[in-house]
Amino acid sequence: MQISPSILSADFANLERELGRISNADWAHVDVMDGHFVPNLTLGLPVVEALARVSAVPLDCHLMIDDPDRWAPQYAEAGAGSVTFHVEAARDPRAVARALRSAGARAGLALKPGTAFPPYEELLPDLDMVLVMTVEPGFGGQSFMADQLPKVAQVRQAVRDHGGEIWVQVDGGVSAGTIEQCAEAGADVFVAGSAVYGADDAAQAVEHLRALATAHCHSR
Ligand code: DX5
Ligand code: ZN
């Protein structure tokens, strides 16, 4: 069970220090938004390159951008350990996933709440992770959408049937109050922004979330 704190809720004026607050996490989740795919604009390649230089934990880049076919591999080259793109934005998702792996990153496929998983099950051989969004992408601090849990369970079942080592990530509204149901549904990588960076002791929040998830682990 892995915790990936989202720096979207961190102090953008002090990102190196903010990464230092979560050095016990498994990943640092970096939300890249382009102002087109989602109605918000955050950061891009130069900032990801800089974060990769100073982060003690690998970067888990979540690309909420148009045209990942063009841009996604560059995030792998910039040093991200995992790069997740949205299937809704990709022209050729399989090619994007393969390009990410060739560039040395884990390949993740993200689904917005309104996007069904079954049409994409055939992509599993080229994927390392499936991200089930539990809010509409674009902003931190939104309420968890429990109606996405059946999709988490559906993806977990498909991953089990497929037999590979593919992670199932949830992102949006994940907190001490919601992480257990995510773990029970079959998630094994948990993004948490406000629940970690809103805490006085971010590292302790990471430990607490990991302990709750581990106690409700249904992913194997
Ligand atoms: C939303 C982002 C999330 C966001 C989560 O579009 O993808 O990663 O930072 O924030 P919380 O955990 O506060 O919902
Ligand atoms: Zn995210």
Side-chain angles (χ1 to χ4, degrees), residues 6 8-9 29 31 33 62 64 133 135-142 171-174 191-195:
S6 168
L8 187 60
S9 297
H29 185 84
D31 287 304
M33 305 187 189
H62 176 194
M64 285 158 278
M133 289 301 299
V135 297
E136 285 298 339
F139 300 92
Q142 303 183 78
D171 179 11
V174 175
V191 177
S194 44

Side-chain angles (χ1 to χ4, degrees), residues 25-37:
D26 300 281
W27 298 87
H29 185 84
V30 180
D31 287 304
V32 176
M33 305 187 189
D34 66 354
H36 291 272
F37 181 72

Side-chain angles (χ1 to χ4, degrees), residues 4-93:
S4 185
S6 168
I7 62 167
L8 187 60
S9 297
D11 176 1
F12 269 33
N14 294 283
L15 287 174
E16 183 171 11
R17 188 187 71 197
E18 293 286 77
L19 286 169
R21 292 174 66 197
I22 55 141
S23 56
N24 62 331
D26 300 281
W27 298 87
H29 185 84
V30 180
D31 287 304
V32 176
M33 305 187 189
D34 66 354
H36 291 272
F37 181 72
V38 289
N40 195 6
L41 181 67
T42 53
L43 52 86
L45 275 170
V47 177
V48 168
E49 274 167 18
L51 294 173
R53 278 200 302 273
V54 300
S55 183
V57 295
L59 302 185
D60 165 32
C61 277
H62 176 194
L63 305 183
M64 285 158 278
I65 61 172
D66 282 343
D67 204 3
D69 304 70
R70 173 177 178 190
W71 297 108
Q74 297 184 45
Y75 285 86
E77 283 152 21
S82 176
V83 179
T84 299
F85 62 97
H86 271 268
V87 70
E88 302 87 357
R91 273 194 311 276
D92 186 347

Side-chain angles (χ1 to χ4, degrees), residues 121-188:
E121 186 170 343
E122 63 182 35
L123 296 174
L124 285 179
D126 294 296
L127 297 174
D128 300 297
M129 184 166 82
V130 177
L131 163 55
V132 177
M133 289 301 299
T134 43
V135 297
E136 285 298 339
F139 300 92
Q142 303 183 78
S143 300
F144 179 74
M145 294 171 66
D147 64 355
Q148 296 302 303
L149 290 171
K151 196 196 292 180
V152 174
Q154 184 182 46
V155 173
R156 172 53 63 192
Q157 188 57 50
V159 163
R160 233 184 237 126
D161 294 346
H162 176 257
E165 169 65 20
I166 301 171
W167 300 344
V168 181
Q169 185 177 63
V170 284
D171 179 11
V174 175
S175 68
T178 58
I179 195 168
E180 294 164 315
Q181 36 189 317
C182 296
E184 269 162 14
D188 57 3

